[in-house]
Amino acid sequence: MTKFEEDLNNKINLKEVPMHFTQSGCSLTRKTYIETNWVFDTYGNWHSDEEFQELKEEYSNQADSILLMLEEIGSLKSQLQQQALPVVPECVAKDVKRLSLSTLADWNVAVSYISKETLEWLSTTGNTNIFLGKSWTLCSLKINGFKVEKPQLFYLKNKLTGYYLFRAFGGKYGEENDRYGIDGFGEDFHFTQQEIDSMQTWSYEQIEVEK
């Protein structure tokens, strides 16, 4: 006897199968007549407990495998994107982000809007060889993306006064003490090595800004 037959007989014996009455009022036995609608409603998606458990385990294993594959694909995709993206200075990143693709594509137009630092970076050895030319370099960065280089920043502490240098208005500089601690100093007190090299800072001590 199949599992289906066992289940059906159990329902009949427990009187779960509905009775059918003829127009004359005579009832037929449950084993002789079973309403068609009841059969379809009850057994339309019927599986034995054993079959259900097997299917559940099978689909559960498949779902776990698919989720694992998706996680691995996502991880690999993220790694490839991070490895493939070129690293550019902040000045280049700012120019690429603020200018439109059409402006960057026309070098004669773009050069009027690009900062001096970006032009210097584009002129350095290797940068213009990444792609076909300067304009194409910037367009590719705009389309494909990039990672921003985070240069090491320094505080400049006057060796004589103990005060810290900061940028003031109009391209001038000032100094301030650290009575509240250097952690409270803003970006005006941060200098890159490139900036320091272009300044006469022989009387200042360089102190790294913690990242």
Side-chain angles (χ1 to χ4, degrees), residues 45-210:
N45 296 310
W46 184 88
H47 293 284
S48 67
D49 292 340
E50 293 82 357
E51 290 177 319
F52 179 78
Q53 189 62 33
E54 290 177 0
L55 289 172
K56 181 180 178 181
E57 292 178 358
E58 179 182 350
Y59 286 116
S60 178
N61 292 335
Q62 291 180 0
D64 291 341
S65 299
I66 292 173
L67 287 175
L68 182 60
M69 290 174 59
L70 291 175
E71 289 178 359
E72 292 177 350
I73 291 172
S75 177
L76 290 173
K77 183 179 179 181
S78 177
Q79 292 177 16
L80 289 173
Q81 288 177 339
Q82 292 178 2
Q83 292 174 0
L85 291 179
V87 179
V88 302
E90 286 185 303
C91 60
V92 176
K94 289 180 180 179
D95 284 339
V96 171
K97 288 180 179 179
R98 70 183 178 85
L99 296 180
S100 66
L101 192 60
S102 59
T103 301
L104 295 173
D106 189 338
W107 179 249
N108 293 326
V109 175
V111 72
S112 302
Y113 298 96
I114 295 173
S115 64
K116 178 182 177 182
E117 292 78 11
T118 297
L119 292 174
E120 290 177 353
W121 179 82
L122 288 168
S123 300
T124 57
T125 304
N127 291 329
T128 56
N129 295 329
I130 297 176
F131 307 105
L132 298 178
K134 297 177 182 179
S135 181
W136 182 244
T137 299
L138 297 179
C139 288
S140 297
L141 292 174
K142 185 78 171 182
I143 295 171
N144 300 321
F146 51 85
K147 291 194 295 185
V148 182
E149 178 185 28
K150 296 296 183 181
Q152 178 61 59
L153 301 174
F154 299 91
Y155 297 111
L156 292 178
K157 182 178 181 180
N158 193 315
K159 298 175 182 178
L160 301 176
T161 64
Y163 282 30
Y164 289 81
L165 189 70
F166 67 89
R167 301 181 191 83
F169 294 106
K172 298 181 179 180
Y173 296 90
E175 289 186 346
E176 188 172 323
N177 61 35
D178 60 342
R179 61 183 180 274
Y180 299 115
I182 60 176
D183 292 338
F185 289 157
E187 294 183 357
D188 290 339
F189 289 83
H190 299 168
F191 297 89
T192 65
Q193 187 62 57
Q194 183 178 4
E195 289 176 311
I196 294 172
D197 293 340
S198 65
M199 301 161 59
Q200 295 181 356
T201 59
W202 54 268
S203 62
Y204 288 87
E205 174 189 0
Q206 292 183 209
I207 301 175
E208 290 187 2
V209 177
E210 294 184 4

